[in-house]
Amino acid sequence: MESSILSLMKAITCYSKQEHQQYIGITYNDLAYAYSRQSNFDKAIYFGYEAIKAFEKMDDLKELGNAYGNMAVNYYKLNDKQNAVNLFKKPFTFKKRLAIQKEWFQLWAT
């Protein structure tokens, strides 16, 4: 697992130089997952928030929803149920924004 984490950290460095926010966010999310699998929830939460920051820059609601859900699981495993519930609810606020984006896309796609 440590070699995977090292590879992901190197990937972050490369993607940051290229300013590729989507890959940065996905890689941070992968790092959060790797640390969660090791039961290192503090690091998982740290990298989860880094993923969220990257996805927010792109307004990528789908990936934001995934990242918030992953964060909620980590807080739950730390027995911080209040933060877990708040984070699980967060993606539901995206529903209206997603509907608007979908309508806009359909207008331009036709």
Side-chain angles (χ1 to χ4, degrees), residues 55-70:
F55 294 135
E56 283 177 342
K57 286 180 183 178
M58 299 171 30
D59 201 31
D60 187 333
L61 300 180
K62 178 186 170 286
E63 291 298 340
L64 268 171
N66 290 334
Y68 278 116
N70 294 341

Side-chain angles (χ1 to χ4, degrees), residues 4-32:
S4 299
I5 289 173
L6 184 59
S7 295
L8 290 168
M9 296 298 272
K10 287 179 182 179
I12 290 290
T13 302
C14 291
Y15 296 142
S16 295
K17 288 177 185 175
Q18 298 170 1
E19 298 181 17
H20 201 300
Q21 290 301 314
Q22 185 173 20
Y23 289 154
I24 291 169
I26 290 168
T27 306
Y28 275 134
N29 222 14
D30 290 346
L31 276 166

Side-chain angles (χ1 to χ4, degrees), residues 35-46 73-75 77-78:
Y35 280 114
S36 179
R37 295 282 297 162
Q38 292 180 339
S39 298
N40 190 339
F41 301 115
D42 291 329
K43 281 192 177 181
I45 289 168
Y46 170 79
V73 170
N74 288 312
Y75 275 108
K77 289 180 179 178
L78 286 173

Side-chain angles (χ1 to χ4, degrees), residues 78-93:
L78 286 173
N79 206 28
D80 185 345
K81 292 180 178 44
Q82 186 60 51
N83 270 329
V85 168
N86 290 340
L87 289 166
F88 271 127
K89 289 180 180 179
K90 186 82 170 161
F92 292 105
T93 65

